Amino acid sequence: MKSDQSKLDPPLFSNEPEPSDTKRGVSAEEQPSCCARCQDVLKDPVSTSCGHWFCRQCISSYWDQSAPSGHSSCTQCGDRSRTISCGQTDVGLQEVLQEHKMSLRRRCEHVTEGSDEPGGGTLLNRIYTELYITEGHSGEADTQHEVMQLEKASKKSLHDTPIRCQDIFKAFPEQQRAIRVVLTNGVAGIGKTFSAQKFTLDWAEGQENQDVSVVVVLPFRELNLIRDEQHSLLTLLHVFHPTLQKVTAEQLAVCKLLFIFDGLDESRLSLVFTNRKVVSDVSQKSSLNILLVNLMEGNLLPSALIWITSRPAAANQITPTCVDRLTEVRGFTDRQKEEYFRRRFSDEEHSSTIISHMKTSRNLHIMCRLPVFCWITAAVLEHMLTTEQRGELPKSLTDMFSHFLLVQTQKKKNKYHEGHEMSPQELMEKPVYCFVHLSIQEFLAAVYMFHCYTNRNQKVLQDFLGKDWQDENGDTLDVFLNKVMEKSLRSENGHLDLFVRFLHGLCLESNQRLLGGLLGQTENRPEMIQRVINNLKEMNSYEMSPDRSINIFHCLMEMKDLSVHQEIQEFLQLYNCELSESHCEVVASALKSNPSHLTDLDLSRSINLQDSGVKHLSAGLQSPNCKLETLRSVHC
């Protein structure tokens, strides 16, 4: 990719023009005998680019107390210089840091989006779409399933002031405290890693945050591989960023560093913030967890900036007193979803088709708040629109994931059966296995459980269902799914909800055909499928919370039961006729579905219909797909 060289070679620590009297490489003969700040004999001397010399303690003290963000002025002449030399010349250091920038740029400019092929993928700047990031979080560990969190987030009013990922360390005008440590929360696949990658790329290209001299990327997933080793901060940098191997401890002490620790939820380190050993020297070796804690607390490199990303449930590992700013990544707004697909596809017809299709399904539309699910959707629909495998586009989550599994396994098959030879670097690299997103793991878990049922793997079924699975041979598919559904409804945090949706969707012959023999010999006779549907409709949900019982409706949607829209009135009765916002959204979904079979809607006993619910219903009534003929309502 062609680039503007002037953007790649900024001054060492500054994006401002240097004064005309800047002195580069002050010789030992020109070095004064006393510090320009304390006037004492120079101790461990460093110099600024405007030619003044200070004791390292003096320059560090001034920097840390008065301008921790690095926007300091020389105490001698007032020049807003941020170039500090360690020794007789800074030319060698500048070359090393420039090489580091180029290395990070090569590392970050492409995204693989789930592929394991280094150097491949798509240009990040071509597909990157700004995410909705806000300041603040409840501060409590969220125990709900992440898809439930996502569905709730989709209903939040978006009145908070958004923050660009590049401005994550910039304080708002009303904030007096400098921001040194930022903790960013967000569910899996919401875009935390992409945000950190975009931040790093913009810095490496000379576009943003040029007051920072070194960005150090240390993903927890990779730190786990050396968790039992002893390291100093200096050797840690050398291991993860070989371009910095020539940087000395003396140079590191006066550099403006920014550390990005991505994926705290994947960490296998024990981060203990009490009764721990204090480490303040970048050359001092200790265990990895002690090293990171001292860095976060500010005992080690107190002027360094720290950015930590995490899923919500793991964020409480960081003590709140260490954090200056909490942010939350909320994913894509509706406008940003469309922007992503338009940026992703040069063919406007394809992007318009995908956007229109996404809007027809409530489940797909909600899940597309996740950039990773937008990628899954794009990968599947692009494959279907550009190959002979057209057919009906996926409408349910199970449809989408079945097609996605097919596309991904086909890619792997081509890779390993068309003469692919592994490079020496690929025999040498340590393997790290992970799921692109939690929902893929849950889909595969549903496929495995379905396979265990069809093959009568009694041990797995009994381990999962316990005493509920008594019959060794006689339980039919409807009985099996009914027991799984009952277990999921007893779960307080909904961790089995998506798994159960997938399990019901796999009953359909269309998905079984896609997955070939993976599921084993299945019972997909029409009368069996109808019994499964009837069981769902007859489940007693009076004693359940709306958030729990709403998953019954989702399972019916995964089974593509069109009658559920015709019988939606009976399904509201399930909730004692007190419609919450979630229930109104379900009704609105039925009104907007294509085709919609809801013609008669009786809300006359819905005494708690709130403004938010009415807005959802109004949106459904305005849909061109709405076929409603009769609407009854009172107390509205």
Side-chain angles (χ1 to χ4, degrees), residues 179-204:
I179 296 172
R180 192 184 72 86
V181 178
V182 176
L183 176 59
T184 296
N185 287 297
V187 300
I190 202 76
K192 302 182 297 295
T193 296
F194 267 35
S195 295
Q197 187 168 342
K198 175 62 173 171
F199 180 102
T200 306
L201 179 61
D202 285 351
W203 173 81

Short mmCIF file of all heavy atoms in Angstrom, two decimals, residues 179-204:
data_model
loop_
_atom_site.label_atom_id
_atom_site.label_comp_id
_atom_site.label_asym_id
_atom_site.label_seq_id
_atom_site.Cartn_x
_atom_site.Cartn_y
_atom_site.Cartn_z
N ILE A 179 -5.75 10.93 32.41
CA ILE A 179 -6.16 9.55 32.18
C ILE A 179 -4.92 8.73 31.83
O ILE A 179 -4.32 8.91 30.78
CB ILE A 179 -7.20 9.48 31.05
CG1 ILE A 179 -8.47 10.23 31.49
CG2 ILE A 179 -7.52 8.03 30.70
CD1 ILE A 179 -9.49 10.39 30.40
N ARG A 180 -4.56 7.82 32.75
CA ARG A 180 -3.39 6.97 32.53
C ARG A 180 -3.78 5.53 32.24
O ARG A 180 -3.20 4.89 31.37
CB ARG A 180 -2.47 7.02 33.76
CG ARG A 180 -1.09 6.40 33.53
CD ARG A 180 -0.26 6.37 34.80
NE ARG A 180 -0.73 5.38 35.76
CZ ARG A 180 -0.35 4.09 35.75
NH1 ARG A 180 0.50 3.67 34.84
NH2 ARG A 180 -0.82 3.26 36.66
N VAL A 181 -4.76 5.00 32.97
CA VAL A 181 -5.20 3.61 32.79
C VAL A 181 -6.66 3.59 32.33
O VAL A 181 -7.53 4.17 32.98
CB VAL A 181 -5.06 2.79 34.09
CG1 VAL A 181 -5.57 1.36 33.88
CG2 VAL A 181 -3.61 2.78 34.56
N VAL A 182 -6.92 2.94 31.20
CA VAL A 182 -8.26 2.81 30.65
C VAL A 182 -8.65 1.33 30.62
O VAL A 182 -7.86 0.48 30.17
CB VAL A 182 -8.35 3.39 29.22
CG1 VAL A 182 -9.74 3.15 28.63
CG2 VAL A 182 -8.03 4.88 29.23
N LEU A 183 -9.85 1.03 31.12
CA LEU A 183 -10.38 -0.34 31.05
C LEU A 183 -11.61 -0.31 30.15
O LEU A 183 -12.57 0.41 30.41
CB LEU A 183 -10.76 -0.83 32.46
CG LEU A 183 -11.43 -2.21 32.56
CD1 LEU A 183 -10.55 -3.30 31.98
CD2 LEU A 183 -11.80 -2.53 34.00
N THR A 184 -11.57 -1.09 29.08
CA THR A 184 -12.65 -1.12 28.10
C THR A 184 -13.38 -2.46 28.17
O THR A 184 -12.77 -3.51 27.99
CB THR A 184 -12.11 -0.88 26.68
OG1 THR A 184 -11.56 0.43 26.59
CG2 THR A 184 -13.22 -1.02 25.64
N ASN A 185 -14.70 -2.39 28.43
CA ASN A 185 -15.55 -3.58 28.51
C ASN A 185 -16.30 -3.79 27.21
O ASN A 185 -16.54 -2.85 26.45
CB ASN A 185 -16.59 -3.41 29.63
CG ASN A 185 -16.00 -3.52 31.01
OD1 ASN A 185 -15.47 -4.56 31.37
ND2 ASN A 185 -16.06 -2.45 31.78
N GLY A 186 -16.71 -5.03 27.00
CA GLY A 186 -17.56 -5.33 25.85
C GLY A 186 -17.69 -6.83 25.68
O GLY A 186 -16.75 -7.58 25.95
N VAL A 187 -18.87 -7.30 25.25
CA VAL A 187 -19.09 -8.73 25.07
C VAL A 187 -18.22 -9.25 23.94
O VAL A 187 -17.67 -8.48 23.16
CB VAL A 187 -20.58 -9.04 24.79
CG1 VAL A 187 -21.45 -8.58 25.94
CG2 VAL A 187 -21.03 -8.42 23.48
N ALA A 188 -18.10 -10.56 23.86
CA ALA A 188 -17.24 -11.18 22.84
C ALA A 188 -17.69 -10.79 21.44
O ALA A 188 -18.88 -10.81 21.13
CB ALA A 188 -17.27 -12.70 23.00
N GLY A 189 -16.73 -10.44 20.61
CA GLY A 189 -17.02 -10.13 19.22
C GLY A 189 -17.57 -8.74 18.97
O GLY A 189 -17.94 -8.40 17.85
N ILE A 190 -17.61 -7.90 20.01
CA ILE A 190 -18.21 -6.57 19.89
C ILE A 190 -17.26 -5.57 19.23
O ILE A 190 -17.66 -4.49 18.83
CB ILE A 190 -18.67 -6.05 21.27
CG1 ILE A 190 -19.76 -4.97 21.15
CG2 ILE A 190 -17.49 -5.53 22.09
CD1 ILE A 190 -21.10 -5.49 20.80
N GLY A 191 -15.95 -5.90 19.14
CA GLY A 191 -15.01 -5.03 18.44
C GLY A 191 -13.89 -4.46 19.29
O GLY A 191 -13.22 -3.52 18.88
N LYS A 192 -13.64 -5.05 20.47
CA LYS A 192 -12.58 -4.52 21.35
C LYS A 192 -11.20 -4.66 20.71
O LYS A 192 -10.42 -3.71 20.68
CB LYS A 192 -12.62 -5.25 22.70
CG LYS A 192 -13.94 -5.16 23.44
CD LYS A 192 -13.90 -5.86 24.78
CE LYS A 192 -13.66 -7.35 24.67
NZ LYS A 192 -14.77 -8.07 23.99
N THR A 193 -10.91 -5.85 20.18
CA THR A 193 -9.60 -6.09 19.57
C THR A 193 -9.41 -5.25 18.32
O THR A 193 -8.34 -4.69 18.08
CB THR A 193 -9.44 -7.59 19.25
OG1 THR A 193 -9.46 -8.33 20.48
CG2 THR A 193 -8.13 -7.86 18.54
N PHE A 194 -10.46 -5.12 17.50
CA PHE A 194 -10.36 -4.30 16.29
C PHE A 194 -10.12 -2.84 16.65
O PHE A 194 -9.40 -2.13 15.95
CB PHE A 194 -11.63 -4.44 15.46
CG PHE A 194 -11.54 -5.52 14.40
CD1 PHE A 194 -10.83 -6.69 14.64
CD2 PHE A 194 -12.15 -5.36 13.18
CE1 PHE A 194 -10.74 -7.68 13.69
CE2 PHE A 194 -12.08 -6.35 12.20
CZ PHE A 194 -11.37 -7.51 12.45
N SER A 195 -10.74 -2.37 17.74
CA SER A 195 -10.52 -0.99 18.17
C SER A 195 -9.06 -0.77 18.55
O SER A 195 -8.45 0.23 18.18
CB SER A 195 -11.43 -0.66 19.36
OG SER A 195 -12.78 -0.69 19.00
N ALA A 196 -8.51 -1.72 19.31
CA ALA A 196 -7.10 -1.62 19.70
C ALA A 196 -6.19 -1.70 18.49
O ALA A 196 -5.18 -0.99 18.40
CB ALA A 196 -6.76 -2.74 20.69
N GLN A 197 -6.56 -2.52 17.51
CA GLN A 197 -5.75 -2.65 16.30
C GLN A 197 -5.82 -1.38 15.46
O GLN A 197 -4.81 -0.94 14.90
CB GLN A 197 -6.25 -3.84 15.48
CG GLN A 197 -5.36 -4.17 14.27
CD GLN A 197 -5.71 -5.52 13.66
OE1 GLN A 197 -6.35 -6.35 14.28
NE2 GLN A 197 -5.28 -5.72 12.42
N LYS A 198 -6.99 -0.77 15.40
CA LYS A 198 -7.14 0.49 14.65
C LYS A 198 -6.35 1.61 15.31
O LYS A 198 -5.70 2.42 14.64
CB LYS A 198 -8.63 0.86 14.57
CG LYS A 198 -8.93 2.20 13.92
CD LYS A 198 -8.47 2.24 12.46
CE LYS A 198 -8.94 3.55 11.80
NZ LYS A 198 -8.34 3.72 10.45
N PHE A 199 -6.39 1.67 16.65
CA PHE A 199 -5.61 2.65 17.40
C PHE A 199 -4.13 2.50 17.06
O PHE A 199 -3.43 3.48 16.77
CB PHE A 199 -5.84 2.45 18.90
CG PHE A 199 -5.10 3.41 19.79
CD1 PHE A 199 -5.76 4.49 20.36
CD2 PHE A 199 -3.74 3.24 20.06
CE1 PHE A 199 -5.08 5.38 21.18
CE2 PHE A 199 -3.06 4.13 20.86
CZ PHE A 199 -3.73 5.20 21.43
N THR A 200 -3.64 1.25 17.10
CA THR A 200 -2.23 0.98 16.85
C THR A 200 -1.84 1.33 15.43
O THR A 200 -0.78 1.93 15.19
CB THR A 200 -1.92 -0.51 17.13
OG1 THR A 200 -2.36 -0.84 18.46
CG2 THR A 200 -0.44 -0.80 17.00
N LEU A 201 -2.69 0.98 14.47
CA LEU A 201 -2.38 1.27 13.06
C LEU A 201 -2.32 2.77 12.81
O LEU A 201 -1.41 3.26 12.13
CB LEU A 201 -3.43 0.62 12.16
CG LEU A 201 -3.25 0.85 10.66
CD1 LEU A 201 -1.92 0.27 10.17
CD2 LEU A 201 -4.41 0.26 9.86
N ASP A 202 -3.28 3.52 13.35
CA ASP A 202 -3.27 4.98 13.16
C ASP A 202 -2.02 5.61 13.77
O ASP A 202 -1.47 6.55 13.21
CB ASP A 202 -4.53 5.59 13.78
CG ASP A 202 -5.77 5.34 12.93
OD1 ASP A 202 -5.62 4.85 11.80
OD2 ASP A 202 -6.88 5.62 13.41
N TRP A 203 -1.58 5.06 14.91
CA TRP A 203 -0.34 5.57 15.51
C TRP A 203 0.87 5.22 14.63
O TRP A 203 1.72 6.07 14.36
CB TRP A 203 -0.15 4.97 16.91
CG TRP A 203 1.18 5.33 17.51
CD1 TRP A 203 1.52 6.49 18.14
CD2 TRP A 203 2.36 4.52 17.50
NE1 TRP A 203 2.84 6.45 18.52
CE2 TRP A 203 3.39 5.26 18.15
CE3 TRP A 203 2.66 3.25 17.02
CZ2 TRP A 203 4.68 4.76 18.31
CZ3 TRP A 203 3.94 2.75 17.18
CH2 TRP A 203 4.94 3.50 17.83
N ALA A 204 0.91 4.00 14.17
CA ALA A 204 2.06 3.54 13.37
C ALA A 204 2.15 4.28 12.04
O ALA A 204 3.25 4.47 11.50
CB ALA A 204 1.96 2.03 13.13
#
